[in-house]
């Protein structure tokens, strides 16, 4: 069972030292990758020139740019809502950056009232992410939004 309260507290502590998005997202991806089990990718895509650009992550090589509305990440950003997918192979328009991924959760990140990017987490296990994970990860992202600086 993941201790999401501990992950949030660790993130907030890291931000006290430096709130700049680059080191903070780098450490946030490491916290998630080490704090959750059965993952093969955890990281961020950031809004850039009208699409999502690869940001800090843990895992295998990833897609560099994702158009809004495409794949799980692009759809979550376009709809501005969390998307939890039990089987990515059944998701219309899924972008297979890593063929080993079978389930995924993507949570939009906001800055100054706009979608600034997404937190993307993949697992080789089908149905890896539960409602508890969704709530915990959304809380993690809300904590991130409260401390991060994109300036």
């Amino acid at each position: 069972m993941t201790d999401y309260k501990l992950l949030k507290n660790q993130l907030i502590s890291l931000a006290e030292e430096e709130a700049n998005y680059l080191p903070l997202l780098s450490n946030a991806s490491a916290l998630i990758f080490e704090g959750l089990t059965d993952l093969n990718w955890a990281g961020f895509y950031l809004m850039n020139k009208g699409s999502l650009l690869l940001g800090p992550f843990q895992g295998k090589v990833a897609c560099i740019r994702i158009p809004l509305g495409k794949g799980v990440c692009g759809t979550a950003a376009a709809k501005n809502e969390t998307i939890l997918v039990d089987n990515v192979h059944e998701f219309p328009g899924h972008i297979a950056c890593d063929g080993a991924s079978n389930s995924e959760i993507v949570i939009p990140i906001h800055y100054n009232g706009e979608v600034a990017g997404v937190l993307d987490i993949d697992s080789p296990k089908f149905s890896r992410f539960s409602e508890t994970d969704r709530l915990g990860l959304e809380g993690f992202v809300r904590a991130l939004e409260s401390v991060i600086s994109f300036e």
Side-chain angles (χ1 to χ4, degrees), residues 7-151:
L7 286 178
K8 286 191 322 189
N9 289 340
Q10 289 172 321
L11 178 70
I12 290 167
S13 292
L14 288 167
E16 288 173 1
E17 184 176 338
E18 180 58 64
N20 179 275
Y21 74 96
L22 191 57
L24 190 57
L25 294 180
S26 296
N27 279 326
S29 65
L31 283 172
I32 291 167
F33 199 74
E34 296 299 321
L36 278 72
T37 59
D38 300 315
L39 303 184
N40 60 331
W41 204 88
F44 300 91
Y45 281 91
L46 303 173
M47 289 299 302
N48 175 271
K49 300 178 183 175
S51 64
L52 293 169
L53 181 66
L54 180 64
F57 70 93
Q58 302 282 314
K60 294 182 180 182
V61 172
C63 299
I64 294 173
R65 193 170 287 277
I66 298 175
L68 290 181
K70 302 293 183 185
V72 182
C73 288
T75 302
K79 290 186 173 184
N80 191 19
E81 64 184 38
T82 297
I83 299 180
L84 189 157
V85 182
D86 290 329
N87 181 348
V88 295
H89 309 289
E90 296 176 351
F91 188 87
H94 174 251
I95 300 169
C97 297
D98 180 357
S101 293
N102 289 313
S103 62
E104 184 171 8
I105 186 168
V106 179
I107 301 144
I109 301 165
H110 304 93
Y111 190 72
N112 291 334
E114 301 289 325
V115 174
V118 297
L119 167 60
D120 178 25
I121 307 174
D122 297 349
S123 173
K125 287 182 65 176
F126 290 100
S127 302
R128 160 59 184 89
F129 304 103
S130 67
E131 183 66 10
T132 299
D133 292 313
R134 183 184 68 79
L135 293 171
L137 291 165
E138 286 177 341
F140 183 86
V141 167
R142 297 298 84 80
L144 177 66
E145 291 170 341
S146 74
V147 296
I148 197 167
S149 172
F150 282 101
E151 297 167 20

